[in-house]
Amino acid sequence: AQTVTQSQPEMSVQEAETVTLSCTYDTSENNYYLFWYKQPPSRQMILVIRQEAYKQQNATENRFSVNFQKAAKSFSLKISDSQLGDTAMYFCAFIPMNRDDKIIFGKGTRLHILP
Amino acid sequence: SAVISQKPSRDICQRGTSLTIQCQVDSQVTMMFWYRQQPGQSLTLIATANQGSEATYESGFVIDKFPISRPNLTFSTLTVSNMSPEDSSIYLCSVEGRVADTQYFGPGTRLTVL
């Protein structure tokens, strides 16, 4: 069975610091996508970043970047120069490529950015 | 990404009643999904809303409790029937956008059942 594990239920960092959220996954698939979604208190799920497993280059979106280690099945999210607006639940997610499988979410990491 | 709206944004309902949640997308999409997010939990897929045919339900979810309509490629409804306090959750719709296998979410509906 495919699983996504987020080992940090909750984290707090000071504003402007860099923080890394961990995610590991288990699959026998070779081609798949990985995602990080952000859910602020407004509850809207927002796609932060997307990584194709066949790409060796780590995805980046402004202050957000990932460290994708395919062999280790690890997909961590780094937030640089953290801002108060980054306070949210962060969900790591996985889906096999080009199949009708459902997306699998981790349990989430609640991130607090402290002023 | 698609612009997705949901109505209502929140509601407080009495036990035994039903609530219909609407999901509207600003462009035609093939895949639409309904999720439940119980307090403090991750997302659980309820069903895939199929245009022109019955929805495909996940294990633990049945059509009598969560009837779904998908009359066209931009709209879907989820009804939560005969509600109990255990149905208190956030209900989210999502769509698969132009980027393959990537889902975008609506703003969610917060349901409280008394």
Side-chain angles (χ1 to χ4, degrees), chain B residues 59-97:
Chain B
S59 175
F61 298 96
V62 296
I63 187 170
D64 289 346
K65 175 68 175 175
F66 297 101
I68 288 171
S69 77
R70 178 90 191 270
N72 55 52
L73 292 176
T74 64
F75 185 78
S76 178
T77 67
L78 168 74
T79 299
V80 186
S81 303
N82 188 24
M83 289 183 286
S84 67
E86 291 71 34
D87 295 318
S88 297
S89 294
I90 296 171
Y91 291 86
L92 298 120
C93 73
S94 75
V95 305
E96 187 171 300

Side-chain angles (χ1 to χ4, degrees), chain A residues 37 39 43-44 50 98 106, chain B residues 9 37 42 101-103 105:
Chain A
Y37 284 91
Q39 188 178 38
R43 75 178 173 267
Q44 170 120 39
R50 174 178 180 270
N98 296 328
Chain B
S9 61
Q37 186 180 25
S42 187
D101 294 317
T102 301
Q103 291 186 27
F105 287 82

Side-chain angles (χ1 to χ4, degrees), chain B residues 12-33:
Chain B
I12 301 173
C13 300
Q14 295 298 318
R15 180 195 300 260
T17 62
S18 298
L19 176 72
T20 295
I21 303 168
Q22 299 179 4
C23 179
Q24 179 76 54
V25 191
D26 69 341
S27 58
Q28 293 186 340
V29 293
T30 303
M31 306 294 286
M32 292 184 77
F33 307 90

